[in-house]
Amino acid sequence: MGDFVVTVEDLAAKFAVVLPHLDERQRRLVLGAEARMLGRGGGRAVARAAGVREATVSAGVTELESGQAPLGRVRRLVVAANERPRSTPAWFRRCWRW
């Protein structure tokens, strides 16, 4: 079997097409998967091709290797403003003298 050579230019062309359609988490996961596929030095090559920091690619690899199940949603769950407690927290009352 012949070796398959991937250049930074090939990766950049691939990412230019795919990444604009993804949200932040999906980008990290795609970049992390690509880096894992390339093996040693893949994170640096992927970061250079995508125009992101190596830490972003590393975070994607870490998320993939964590073994967590897919979220099943795109956005985080947040508490609506009208569902938050309206009273002042006790720690705030203790620290702040009126």
Side-chain angles (χ1 to χ4, degrees), residues 9-27:
E9 291 79 21
D10 293 337
L11 288 173
K14 178 180 182 179
F15 294 147
V17 173
V18 173
L19 294 183
H21 299 282
L22 306 176
D23 66 17
E24 181 70 25
R25 182 170 186 271
Q26 292 168 339
R27 284 186 194 118

